[in-house]
Amino acid sequence: MERNHVMAIIANIAMDAPEDINSFYESSMGIIHYEAVERKIEFDGYFRTKWEIEAENVMSFNQEYFEDKDRGNLYVFLSATVNKDIFDLLHYVWSLVKNEDLTANVLHREIYLLKEKGVRF
């Protein structure tokens, strides 16, 4: 999808439930995650390829592997480091939810915090 179209979808979600910031954040991250997958963004040739294979033929991972929010967020954050459109979408959501400008340093901080929590692909 075109970035402006995705941005409009996210803006509509924000207007529909402005008081439920957590729901907005989770929904928006899901949309951005979907966009990153659609753009075929991969890390070490692993995440998207492995996810597609395992999602269709669950052999070594259980369903919870794919529903882990932290793992999805890590994928979004990493995708934002290599794709400007993903970064722009995340920047929009981040500034609304966190009241903080999303800079490269903030992005790397969030990646570091997730990895410190033990989140891996």
Side-chain angles (χ1 to χ4, degrees):
M1 239 185 278
E2 187 177 314
R3 185 187 79 181
N4 290 339
H5 183 72
V6 176
M7 191 76 75
I9 291 170
I10 292 171
N12 284 336
I13 293 170
M15 288 188 295
D16 287 344
E19 67 282 348
D20 190 356
I21 201 75
N22 289 330
S23 178
F24 167 73
Y25 182 73
E26 288 178 19
S27 296
S28 298
M29 290 298 280
I31 291 168
I32 297 169
H33 184 275
Y34 175 82
E35 283 300 306
V37 170
E38 285 297 302
R39 293 165 191 261
K40 301 185 185 323
I41 299 172
E42 294 192 33
F43 299 97
D44 298 328
Y46 181 75
F47 183 74
R48 191 186 62 78
T49 302
K50 186 70 171 176
W51 187 88
E52 283 178 349
I53 292 168
E54 292 291 337
E56 291 175 12
N57 310 299
V58 179
M59 292 181 277
S60 61
F61 297 113
N62 59 25
Q63 188 64 24
E64 287 141 17
Y65 180 87
F66 302 108
E67 295 174 356
D68 185 302
K69 290 177 195 171
D70 286 338
R71 191 172 290 116
N73 288 347
L74 179 60
Y75 179 65
V76 169
F77 293 143
L78 288 170
S79 296
T81 66
V82 297
N83 184 286
K84 181 171 177 12
D85 289 340
I86 299 298
F87 180 86
D88 290 345
L89 292 169
L90 182 59
H91 185 275
Y92 176 74
V93 170
W94 192 264
S95 64
L96 288 175
V97 173
K98 306 293 184 176
N99 292 323
E100 178 180 40
D101 188 37
L102 184 67
T103 64
N105 286 339
V106 170
L107 190 56
H108 290 288
R109 176 193 73 203
E110 294 303 311
I111 291 168
Y112 173 79
L113 290 173
L114 286 171
K115 287 184 175 182
E116 280 294 304
K117 269 176 74 173
V119 178
R120 302 284 184 264
F121 288 133

